[in-house]
Each structure stands twice: as C-alpha cells, then as structure tokens.
C-alpha cells in the first residue's frame, strides 16, 4: 500500500468528489456564522446545518469540503494517548435531497479501493441493525463478504440529536491485523480492542423524529459523510499515532529542537508535554488565523486555555522564554497551501502569540509559586481539595485557566473546588452585569417579538431626511399601547422611515415626528430585523395607531455622524497602508461627536505612524473624493476588492461604499457625498483594547473646531496663570520644571536630615529589656508609612538586637510598624505576632512577616497604651 502524505490525501478526496459533480467549497471559519449553539466549529457538517434544516438554500445539491475543526471535550486525554487531538480536519461529502445511500456508499468504496488502493480484505462495514437497504448495497452492489458486514444497535449506528432530521448510518473500518486484536474468536467492529479503526461514517438522514419518538420519512433525504483526515493518514502511512503522520511529525520535530528533548514514541514522561505542545499549536494557529483572540470568556477562553497549557508544558520541558510563535511557522509551512488565510496572517498570528505568551510568562512563575504554597498547606492539613476562592485568585490574578490549575493539582493527587470557583466567577460576572445595566432600554428584547409582528418598515433614509409615515404600533414596557399623551415616552413603529437605526457601529438618527395636532422628539431608533422602532418623547398632543405623521431627521446630527463614518473608512485604509495588510476592523463606534475604531495590530502605533496616518486621511479629505454607495451581489462586491468585516455574515446583495479609488468597503451606514465635507480629521488617542487589538479615537469637522477652541482656552488660562503669553508658555513651563526639580532635591535632603534626627533621638530614648533594645516613637502627619519603613531599616543597620515600634498618627487614625533585627529572629522574636497585640491595645489589628509587620487602629487616644504594650510583651 502506497504511503500517501496528508496534504495529498486531502487533494485526492476533494478532486474525486469534484469529478462526481460536487461543489467543492473551501473550509468555513472556525467561528460559527449563525449558530449560537456552538462556540467553535467541531464537525464537517456543523457549518452546513442551515442547508440540512431547510433554512437556507445550499449553493449546490452536492457538496464536498475539508473542514478544520476543534474539539476540547477530550482535552484531558490529549498528550496521554497516541490518537487524541484538539485540532483535526474532517473530509465530507454531502447531498441535499439529491443522491442517497447507493451512490454514497458506492463512491466511498470506489475512492477507498481504486483511488487510495486500500486492500479490500481489510475493509469492514457496520450498519444499523434494521437498515436492510444499506446491507443490500454492501452485500449485493459493492459485494462485500457477508461476514465483514456488522449489524450494530441504535447507540452505534443511528444518528439523532433530539427531535428533527435523523437517520441510520454506516461506518467503514480498517482491519489493522490480528497483532492489534484481543484474541477473541468473535473480534470484529464494535469490539473495544485496537484492531479495527473506524474512519468514515456515512449518515443517511431519512427520518424526522417528533417528541413522541415517532419517525416520519423525509420528503427530501440527505447524505452527510465524515472522514477524519488525520485518521486516514494514519492508515495510509501505517502508524497508530497521529503524531507520526507526516505533517504533524514535522511540527513535533520542531518541538524537539526547541526543547532539546527527544521524542520516544510515547515511552517517556516528557512525550506527554511534546504531544500537547504539538497538538495545541495547531489549534492555536488556526484559531488566531480565523480572528479569535485570547480572552476570559467564550472561544477566546478556549484559545487562552490551549495557549497557556502549551506554554506551561514548554516550561516542563525546560524551554526558556517564549517559543510558541516560532512553532506556528511550522504549522503554516505544512498547512498554508490548503488554508491560505493562515499564511496571509502569518505576521499577525506570530505577534498575538508572542504578546499572549509573554504576558503569561510574566505571571506563571508567581502563580506556580503560590499554587505550590497552597499544595504544601493542603498536605500539612491532610487536605486534597483546593478551595474555590484560591482557584479563582489564580485565575483572576495570574491568568491560570481553571482547567490548568485542575491539571497541575491532579498531577499531585489533588483536585480543585469547581463549585466554589464557579460561584466566584458568577459573582464577578454579576457585578459586571450590574455595572453595565441600563434602565433606558430594559425590556427591548421582550418587545422585539411585538415589533416583528408589525411587518417590515421601509427605510427611505438613504434618499431623503424626511417623509410621510403611518403609525403601525405603539409600545412600552413590553406592552402595546392604544394612545400617547403629552410627556409620555414610548416606542413607535412606522410603515416607512427616514431615520437610520443604530447598527454597524453607527449611532441612530434623532429628530422629530409631528402633524397638525401632535409633536414628539425622536430620541433613538433601534432595529429588529426589518422593523424600525423609534423611541419618542411626546411634546404636545395625542397619538394613536393609524395616525399619519411627518418624520424629519436632524440634519445636523446626520451630517456630523456621516462625517465621522466616512472618515472611519479613510482611517481603515490609511492604517493598512502604514501598518500593513494584517490590519482588520475589530469594532467601531460612530456618533455625531467622534469616531472610535478598533483594529487588529500587535503593538502600539508610534507617534510618527499616527502623524502619517492622520496626514493621509486629511490629504484624501482635501482631494474632495466622490463618495458613492451601490448595491450589488456579494460575489461581485468581493471581486471589486471591497473590504468586508472579518467573520461577518452577509446576504446575497450588499451595499458597497467607495471613496474615490482610495477606499471600498461593504457598509450599510450613512455617508457624505464627497470626502471634502468631512472638513478635517484629528486623532485624539491610540490605546490597547485587548491582546492584538488597538483603538484609535478621532474627531472631524466641527469636532476639530471645538477641540481647537478648547485647547486655545486652556493655553490662554495657563499662560495667564504663569504671567506670560501663549508663545512663551513652553519656555516658562520648562523653567518652572527645573525650579521644581531643584526644590524637590532640597526637600529630599531636608527629609533625610529630619529622619536622621529622629533616628538619633529614638536611639537615645531606647530602653533595654531582657537584653533587647526597644525603640518606640510616636510620629505625626509630617511623615508617611514609607518614611516609617525607611526609619526601621536605618535603625536595624546601626543597632543590633533591637525591636522597633513606630506609630504614625494622621487623619484621626494610627498606623503601626513593628520591625525586628535579624539576629533576634532565630531567638523567636516575630514582628507579625507582636503587632497583633500592640495594635489591639488601640482597638486595631494587622499582621505580617517575622522581620517587619504593619497594622492599623482608630483610637488615637490609646497610642501610648499600645507603645507601653510593646515593653510589656518584651
């Protein structure tokens, strides 16, 4: 049997089904487009669910794909076995109401035996025990011997998830030989031994299951097959480990080189770490390539968990510094031809990995040290479960995913309090939710269903800022209303509207709705699918459903917002010119006051780069470029080079906004008709939002004018205060800075002299008790806690066998510091123990280490009692 490489196997499969008149589509993104039930695509059919469910029309009745997938359900096994991995590729052939069982199984057999030339005698099939049709195809059409067709029950060979489309399936197995078997005479597919490897599943979706467990035949039967590419490669390359497959082995060799540790095929303890890193770097690279960024929730959390698990196992192998970014290059090298997106984003992937790994590297040692302390405490106390509070602190402070802490504990025979950790997580989320909650739009989600029943709103806002409309419904607090009167606030649905609804990062229009007997202010507009809901505040008169109104958009707000939106398009193009093509939009906000643009980039944008970006945008404004908006098919739009939002799902027809021949984007927002109408563009700030995501905030037009006026006012006031004019302000500030620097130096010298005086006086007043010198001092507001620590250190330098007790009074409270010289520590003197009783004498408490401790108290009248307590304790 010819040993065929993984990349070649992928090509052979897709080309075979292309010849069978299948539409071959490139892999979908790992980020699900319209499926909120999934965090990450985990199977070949997952992106095609809308086609199987009849919600969307497939591009062709026959399809074939090689889908990149990630599953983390078995992550605990990754590294410890030869076959488990988080990233895999799923080859699939699909029929949407076209061909059925005979073609699916026959073509599969043809591919296996004639294209791959797998030995027929090593191929077995399993079928659902009641599927006579499938049996007949295997036995009489394909002519597989009866003894190699195995009937299995519903658990093994029937595909069903709840109610809806379902059906039997037939799986294909490869017999690896008796040496891999259990030795039982009836050993065959379904046995738990390693002899038979299942590698291709043909699912026949032919029934609809209802809640009563009744199965009704579907009018249009479907085919969904899944063939694991890595598993097929194992068979073709005659290995029982995915880590021996050519492309994965190429990555593993780089791990060996980076770590200096040889892989021993699973025999060594270090092999676990090598496998984990090899597998995880594949997942990490593809996830970042599809726009997923490390975070503390959702798919970003999955990425961070994999990344940090791989980084930790690198440390276990003795790898110094960061290394994952370099490993990603090997993934791109072996997979970049099939998945060009990771090659195009190579630099971006590299930078995100470097930033995130560096961030984790800075805290992992501290976190590991704390975790080791916890484990030592647990052992001393005879405990095996780490409390949820401590697990959460490792997560919140040191970035340890719960699963990573759990894994490290398990290595020591311990476990984590998951319930306690989840409680802490939920408390933190609830706090964040409460902080974000806004009463203004509560109930909108519930009202949405009411709005949807009103029918589509015709949007006329691209062509005009005003028009006649009919009130179709009035709503508030999740209920329809019969009428409105003066002072009422509600949402109204119109049959047509010139008001742009909030969306695509752009704020909604505002304005007025009125007729001869009624007027109201439109405060905001939201959209639910094709229904526009206008939040209004009634100024005068009354309103009822069916009334006619004149709707008028605020021209000033619309124009100011359009200035900022068009400038956002210019900004994105300028960013790509200056920083590189890896820049992509990661979020935006456009209002009448300003614009905010989030974009993918791996480091701070320099001042010189910001100046260049700003100059490019202003240059395009001064060129008075025409701004045009056209509707066209999505495919045509993408051919023109129009930029789309990464990961966004677009309809068949899209709106393309171009600014001259400089910028071209898919966009549904409102814009200027000419770039010159923006007036001017000014960047206010550039900052970090998340790992690999930066943010620019800017203003245009009258915003620049207002900013200039405000800056002039501030400069004038500063100049007046400093008794100079604005031209001489810089020189005056520089002069004052030098003067302040000199004053600070003098003040520091004075403070040092004052501290020396306190030290001398304190030592003079010291008393000796049982051979130990006791220094006590009551200080007032001229000093701070840092001064007290300096005093302690200086006294310890010149006075051995000394206990120092200092009390700082200020703002109606007292702070105590207790310090013990090193020679007394071995004799049992402990600052932390002493300070507890000293502070208690003044109604306070605290603690600390043996050499120095700090405490607070509120009763300043008892400071003398506390200092006397120190003498009593000695």
């Amino acid at each position: 049997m010819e040993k065929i490489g993984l990349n070649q196997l992928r090509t052979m499969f897709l080309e075979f089904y292309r010849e069978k008149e299948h539409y071959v589509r490139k892999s979908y993104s790992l980020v699900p487009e319209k499926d909120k039930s999934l965090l990450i695509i985990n199977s070949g059919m997952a992106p095609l669910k809308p086609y199987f469910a009849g919600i969307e029309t497939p591009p062709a009745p026959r399809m074939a794909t090689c889908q990149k997938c990630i599953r983390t359900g078995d992550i605990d096994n990754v590294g410890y076995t030869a076959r488990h991995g988080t990233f895999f590729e799923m080859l699939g052939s699909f029929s949407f109401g076209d061909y059925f069982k005979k073609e699916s199984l026959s073509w599969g057999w043809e591919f296996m035996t004639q294209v791959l030339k797998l030995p027929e005698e090593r191929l077995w099939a399993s079928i659902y025990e009641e599927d006579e049709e499938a049996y007949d195809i295997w036995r009489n059409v394909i002519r597989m011997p009866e003894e190699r067709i195995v009937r299995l029950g519903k658990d093994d060979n029937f595909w069903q998830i709840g109610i809806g489309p379902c059906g039997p399936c037939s799986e294909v197995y490869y017999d690896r030989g008796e040496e891999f078997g259990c030795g039982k005479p009836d050993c065959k597919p379904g046995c738990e031994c390693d002899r038979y490897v299942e590698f291709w599943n043909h699912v026949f979706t032919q029934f609809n299951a209802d809640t009563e467990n009744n199965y009704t035949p579907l009018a249009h039967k479907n085919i969904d097959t899944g063939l694991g590419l890595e598993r097929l490669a194992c068979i073709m390359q005659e290995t029982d480990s995915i880590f021996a497959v050519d492309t994965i082995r190429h990555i593993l060799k780089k791990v060996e080189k980076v770590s200096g540790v040889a892989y021993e095929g699973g025999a060594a303890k270090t092999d676990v770490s090598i496998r984990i890193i090899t597998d995880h770097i594949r997942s990490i690279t593809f996830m970042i390539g599809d726009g997923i960024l490390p975070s503390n929730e959702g798919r970003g959390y999955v990425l961070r968990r994999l990344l940090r698990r791989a980084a930790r196992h690198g440390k276990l192998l003795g790898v110094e510094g960061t290394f994952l970014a370099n490993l990603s290059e090997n993934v791109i090298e072996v997979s970049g031809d099939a998945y060009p997106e990771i090659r195009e984003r190579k630099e971006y992937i590299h930078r995100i990995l470097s930033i995130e790994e560096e961030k984790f590297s800075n805290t992992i040692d501290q976190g590991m040290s704390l975790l080791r302390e916890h484990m030592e405490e647990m052992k001393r106390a005879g405990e095996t479960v780490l409390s949820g509070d401590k697990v959460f602190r490792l997560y919140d402070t040191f970035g340890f995913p719960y699963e990573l802490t759990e894994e490290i504990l398990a290595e020591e025979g311990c476990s984590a309090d998951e319930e306690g950790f989840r409680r802490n997580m939920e408390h933190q989320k609830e706090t964040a939710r409460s902080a974000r909650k806004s009463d203004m739009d509560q109930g909108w989600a519930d009202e949405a269903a009411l709005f949807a029943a009103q029918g589509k709103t015709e949007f006329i806002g691209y062509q005009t800022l005003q028009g006649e409309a009919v009130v179709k419904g009035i709503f508030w607090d999740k209920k329809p209303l019969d009428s409105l009167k003066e002072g009422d606030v509600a949402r109204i649905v119109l049959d047509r509207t010139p008001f742009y609804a909030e969306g695509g990062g752009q704020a909604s229009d505002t304005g007025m709705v009125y007729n001869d007997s009624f007027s109201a202010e439109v405060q905001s507009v939201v959209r639910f699918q094709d229904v526009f809901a206008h939040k209004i505040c009634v100024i005068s008169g009354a309103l009822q459903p069916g009334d006619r109104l004149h709707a008028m958009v605020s021209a000033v707000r619309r124009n100011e917002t359009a200035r900022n939106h068009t400038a956002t398009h210019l900004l994105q193009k300028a960013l790509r010119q200056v920083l590189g093509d890896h820049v992509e939009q990661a979020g935006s906000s456009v209002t009448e006051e300003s614009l905010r643009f989030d974009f993918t980039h791996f480091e701070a944008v320099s001042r010189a780069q910001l100046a260049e970006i700003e100059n490019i945008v202003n240059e395009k404004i001064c060129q008075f470029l025409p701004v045009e908006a056209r509707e066209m098919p999505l495919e045509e739009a993408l051919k023109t080079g129009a930029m789309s939002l990464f990961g966004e799902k677009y309809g068949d027809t899209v709106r393309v906004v171009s600014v001259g021949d400089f910028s071209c984007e898919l966009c549904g927002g409102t814009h200027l008709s000419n770039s010159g109408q923006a007036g001017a563009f000014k960047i206010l700030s550039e900052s970090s939002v998340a790992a690999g995501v930066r943010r620019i905030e800017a203003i245009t037009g009258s915003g620049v004018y207002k900013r200039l006026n405000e800056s002039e006012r501030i400069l004038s006031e500063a100049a007046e205060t400093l008794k100079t004019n604005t031209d001489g302000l810089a020189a005056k500030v520089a002069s004052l800075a030098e003067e302040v620097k000199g004053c600070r130096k003098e003040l520091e010298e004075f403070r040092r002299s004052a501290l020396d005086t306190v030290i001398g006086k304190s030592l003079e007043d010291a008393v000796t008790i049982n051979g130990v010198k006791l220094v006590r001092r009551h200080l007032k507001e001229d000093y701070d806690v840092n001064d007290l620590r300096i005093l302690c250190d200086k006294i310890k330098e010149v006075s051995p066998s000394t206990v120092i007790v200092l009390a700082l009074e200020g703002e109606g409270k007292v702070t105590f510091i207790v310090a013990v010289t090193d020679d007394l520590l071995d004799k049992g003197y402990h600052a932390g123990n002493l300070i507890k009783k000293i502070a208690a004498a003044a109604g306070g408490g605290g603690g600390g280490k043996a050499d120095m401790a700090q405490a607070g108290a509120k009763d300043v009248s008892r400071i003398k009692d506390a200092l006397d307590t120190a003498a009593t304790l000695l």
Side-chain angles (χ1 to χ4, degrees):
M1 188 168 67
E2 182 185 355
K3 292 188 177 181
I4 305 173
L6 181 142
N7 286 327
Q8 187 180 350
L9 286 170
R10 184 194 303 110
T11 301
M12 291 168 73
F13 177 88
L14 295 176
E15 287 306 312
F16 174 82
Y17 278 96
R18 194 191 305 275
E19 290 175 5
K20 301 296 182 187
E21 299 178 344
H22 285 62
Y23 166 65
V24 175
R25 190 201 189 279
K26 69 175 186 177
S27 173
Y28 290 84
S29 168
L30 284 167
V31 180
E33 290 182 349
K34 283 186 175 181
D35 190 348
K36 292 185 179 180
S37 68
L38 284 179
L39 274 181
I40 302 173
I41 293 299
N42 60 5
S43 68
M45 70 83 65
L48 308 179
K49 282 199 287 187
Y51 303 149
F52 284 110
I55 298 171
E56 294 182 13
T57 303
R62 301 178 182 182
M63 282 184 70
T65 63
C66 181
Q67 176 62 44
K68 48 194 172 186
C69 306
I70 286 179
R71 288 182 189 167
T72 56
D74 290 327
I75 193 171
D76 292 336
N77 292 320
V78 174
Y80 296 92
T81 72
R83 295 184 188 174
H84 283 96
T86 57
F87 177 84
F88 63 96
E89 298 177 62
M90 184 62 75
L91 300 168
S93 54
F94 310 96
S95 167
F96 308 106
D98 188 36
Y99 62 82
F100 201 45
K101 293 181 187 180
K102 180 180 177 182
E103 293 84 352
S104 184
L105 295 176
S106 298
W107 289 338
W109 183 257
E110 181 184 343
F111 178 72
M112 291 184 290
T113 58
Q114 296 184 33
V115 179
L116 298 181
K117 302 191 184 306
L118 284 167
E120 292 185 18
E121 66 276 8
R122 292 217 168 190
L123 297 174
W124 289 62
S126 70
I127 60 168
Y128 176 50
E129 56 191 359
E130 297 177 11
D131 191 354
E132 296 302 330
E133 183 183 1
Y135 176 82
D136 183 67
I137 295 167
W138 281 116
R139 182 71 188 89
N140 300 317
V141 178
I142 295 173
R143 300 196 178 283
M144 178 178 279
E146 185 176 359
E147 61 271 18
R148 295 212 307 270
I149 306 170
V150 182
R151 295 177 184 267
L152 296 175
K154 203 168 185 179
D155 289 343
D156 295 297
N157 277 72
F158 196 95
W159 183 87
Q160 181 178 354
I161 302 176
I163 61 172
C166 60
C169 62
S170 179
E171 297 182 297
V172 183
Y173 295 78
Y174 182 77
D175 180 2
R176 300 169 65 212
E178 291 182 6
E179 62 272 27
F180 293 96
C182 57
K184 296 177 182 177
D186 61 343
C187 182
K188 58 185 176 183
C191 183
E192 294 297 322
C193 70
D194 290 333
R195 177 172 177 175
Y196 299 95
V197 178
E198 180 268 310
F199 66 98
W200 200 345
N201 189 12
H202 294 249
V203 178
F204 313 124
T205 311
Q206 63 186 94
F207 300 115
N208 185 73
D210 62 23
T211 54
E212 302 296 323
N213 223 24
N214 297 314
Y215 296 93
T216 307
L218 291 171
H220 301 288
K221 300 171 183 178
N222 304 316
I223 289 290
D224 159 26
T225 83
L227 168 58
L229 181 56
E230 288 83 357
R231 191 166 291 189
L232 177 62
C234 284
I235 293 170
M236 298 305 300
Q237 296 174 30
E238 296 185 283
T239 174
D240 64 346
S241 170
I242 62 170
F243 297 97
V245 168
D246 60 332
T247 53
I248 302 175
R249 177 69 183 170
H250 179 75
I251 301 164
L252 187 144
K253 284 181 178 177
K254 183 69 173 288
V255 178
E256 288 182 298
K257 185 176 179 181
V258 167
S259 65
V261 179
Y263 180 64
E264 298 183 23
K269 186 177 180 181
T270 51
D271 287 353
V272 172
S273 294
I274 291 173
R275 285 171 170 174
I276 286 172
I277 296 167
T278 301
D279 168 75
H280 287 11
I281 192 60
R282 297 177 78 210
S283 294
I284 292 163
T285 302
F286 277 95
M287 290 174 79
I288 298 174
D290 277 351
I292 301 171
L293 291 171
S295 70
N296 283 339
E297 59 185 18
R299 60 184 69 94
Y301 179 73
V302 175
L303 171 59
R304 178 164 281 168
R305 176 186 172 191
L306 294 173
L307 195 155
R308 294 188 170 184
R309 190 170 189 247
R312 174 181 171 259
H313 279 276
K315 283 194 170 289
L316 291 179
L317 292 176
V319 180
E320 296 292 333
T322 59
F323 67 100
L324 294 176
N326 289 333
L327 283 182
S328 70
E329 295 178 8
N330 283 57
V331 180
I332 295 168
E333 186 179 335
V334 295
S335 300
D337 288 343
Y339 304 99
E341 62 271 17
I342 58 173
R343 180 168 287 152
E344 292 164 6
R345 297 186 175 94
K346 177 180 177 180
E347 183 185 359
Y348 177 62
I349 294 168
H350 194 283
R351 293 299 298 176
I352 294 297
L353 277 169
S354 298
I355 292 166
E356 181 69 12
E357 192 181 1
E358 184 67 41
K359 186 189 298 182
F360 186 50
S361 181
N362 292 336
T363 60
I364 188 172
D365 291 335
Q366 294 172 276
M368 284 300 301
S369 176
L370 180 62
L371 183 52
R372 278 192 290 269
E373 283 182 29
H374 291 332
M375 288 192 286
E376 287 299 322
E377 290 171 5
M378 289 162 62
K379 286 178 183 176
R380 286 195 295 270
E383 298 171 349
T384 58
V385 181
L386 184 62
S387 75
D389 292 349
K390 291 173 180 175
V391 176
F392 181 74
R393 188 188 170 206
L394 284 164
Y395 164 83
D396 200 41
T397 306
F398 300 103
F400 275 45
Y402 168 81
E403 294 81 3
L404 180 57
T405 302
E406 186 180 44
E407 181 179 321
I408 297 169
L409 287 168
E411 291 169 2
E412 300 296 325
C414 300
S415 61
D417 173 15
E418 183 174 2
E419 187 179 341
F421 171 76
R422 301 297 172 201
R423 272 199 309 272
N424 277 276
M425 280 288 290
E426 188 53 41
H427 175 71
Q428 186 187 64
K429 288 180 180 178
E430 185 57 42
T431 302
R433 277 196 293 267
S434 298
R436 290 194 302 265
K437 193 175 288 183
S438 168
D439 293 334
M440 180 181 295
D441 289 312
Q442 274 187 327
W444 159 238
D446 296 310
E447 288 178 307
L450 293 172
F451 295 143
Q454 305 307 306
K456 183 177 179 181
T457 303
E458 180 189 356
F459 178 60
I460 58 174
Y462 290 142
Q463 299 82 27
T464 180
L465 295 185
Q466 54 185 309
E468 300 299 317
V470 175
V471 180
K472 299 178 73 176
I474 305 173
F475 305 90
W476 193 245
D477 194 24
K478 310 172 194 176
K479 298 184 186 74
L481 302 178
D482 295 330
S483 63
L484 291 178
K485 62 182 185 305
E486 186 175 323
D488 284 348
V489 174
R491 294 190 189 276
I492 64 170
V493 174
L494 305 175
D495 65 336
R496 59 203 300 266
T497 183
F499 288 91
Y500 180 84
E502 181 180 343
Q506 180 178 324
S508 73
D509 287 330
T510 59
M512 298 286 294
V513 287
Y514 60 90
N515 57 31
D516 292 342
S517 59
F518 173 83
S519 67
E521 177 190 5
V522 177
Q523 298 177 333
S524 65
V525 186
V526 288
R527 180 176 179 174
F528 181 76
Q529 294 180 342
D530 294 323
V531 181
F532 288 62
H534 310 67
K535 183 180 179 183
I536 66 169
C537 179
V538 180
I539 298 171
S540 64
L543 185 70
Q544 294 178 330
D547 287 353
R548 297 190 67 83
L549 293 172
H550 187 78
M552 185 169 67
V553 173
S554 166
V556 172
R557 178 183 171 97
R558 166 72 77 89
N559 292 335
E560 295 285 13
T561 305
R563 277 176 162 172
N564 287 322
H565 203 153
T566 300
T568 302
H569 285 216
L570 296 175
L571 171 61
Q572 178 169 206
K573 183 65 175 181
L575 283 166
R576 289 171 67 86
Q577 282 191 353
V578 175
L579 304 180
D581 288 341
H582 65 276
V583 168
E584 289 185 347
Q585 181 175 336
S588 69
S589 174
V590 179
T591 68
E592 63 178 318
E593 291 86 13
S594 62
L595 66 93
R596 187 189 75 215
F597 188 73
D598 297 345
F599 58 98
T600 53
H601 190 54
F602 36 77
E603 61 190 354
V605 184
S606 70
R607 186 175 296 180
Q609 288 173 323
L610 287 173
E612 185 180 356
I613 291 162
E614 194 175 86
N615 287 338
I616 290 172
V617 175
N618 278 305
E619 179 183 300
K620 297 306 172 185
I621 289 172
C622 291
Q623 287 177 1
F624 283 68
L625 301 173
V627 180
E628 296 180 348
R630 293 171 294 155
E631 288 193 351
M632 62 180 73
L634 175 60
E635 214 168 289
E636 182 184 336
L638 295 177
K639 285 179 182 176
T640 67
M643 285 202 63
S644 57
L645 190 59
F646 185 71
E648 181 74 9
K649 176 71 172 177
Y650 294 97
D652 294 335
T653 302
V654 293
R655 188 167 179 263
V656 179
V657 175
S658 58
V659 186
D661 57 1
F662 179 69
S663 166
C664 186
E665 293 185 36
L666 305 186
C667 180
T670 60
H671 287 271
L672 305 171
S673 58
N674 187 290
S675 65
Q677 293 170 333
F681 174 82
K682 180 67 183 172
I683 294 175
L684 300 181
S685 66
E686 189 274 343
S687 60
S688 171
V689 178
V693 180
R694 309 294 300 181
R695 171 174 292 173
I696 280 180
E697 296 184 78
I699 49 178
T700 62
S702 60
V704 177
Y705 174 70
K706 291 173 186 174
R707 183 81 174 188
L708 178 61
N709 281 345
E710 180 63 12
S711 297
E712 285 185 348
R713 183 189 64 77
I714 293 170
L715 286 172
S716 296
E717 288 181 3
E720 187 176 337
T721 301
L722 298 178
K723 309 300 182 189
T724 184
N725 55 39
T726 53
D727 292 338
L729 191 57
K732 185 70 173 181
V733 169
S735 173
L736 283 173
E738 282 299 314
E739 191 177 328
V740 169
K741 187 177 178 182
C743 290
R744 282 179 176 163
K745 186 176 181 183
E746 289 180 24
L747 181 60
E748 191 57 38
E749 290 173 357
F750 174 78
R751 287 175 69 84
R752 277 199 296 268
S753 175
L755 287 175
D756 289 342
T757 302
V758 172
I759 292 167
K761 181 64 175 167
S762 299
L763 290 171
E764 283 178 23
D765 297 340
V767 295
T768 301
I769 303 172
N770 293 330
V772 175
K773 190 178 291 184
L774 174 62
V775 173
R776 292 174 292 180
R777 202 77 184 166
H778 178 183
L779 302 168
K780 296 293 181 80
E781 292 175 340
D782 292 338
Y783 301 90
D784 58 28
V785 173
N786 190 50
D787 291 332
L788 268 61
R789 292 181 178 277
I790 293 171
L791 281 171
C792 289
D793 289 339
K794 286 183 174 292
I795 291 172
K796 287 166 73 173
E797 286 175 8
V798 298
S799 180
S801 299
T802 301
V803 172
I804 307 149
V805 182
L806 304 178
L808 176 63
E809 180 186 348
E811 298 180 357
K813 59 184 179 180
V814 58
T815 301
F816 293 102
I817 295 281
V818 174
V820 176
T821 53
D822 293 345
D823 60 321
L824 292 180
L825 298 178
D826 294 336
K827 297 178 181 179
Y829 289 84
H830 192 290
N833 294 339
L834 288 168
I835 203 166
K836 289 177 184 175
K837 295 183 179 180
I838 292 169
K849 297 181 180 178
D851 61 334
M852 188 176 287
Q854 180 177 329
K858 294 181 179 179
D859 193 345
V860 296
S861 67
R862 293 167 63 187
I863 291 176
K864 184 178 182 305
D865 295 340
L867 296 177
D868 289 343
T869 299
T872 304
L873 290 170
L874 292 190

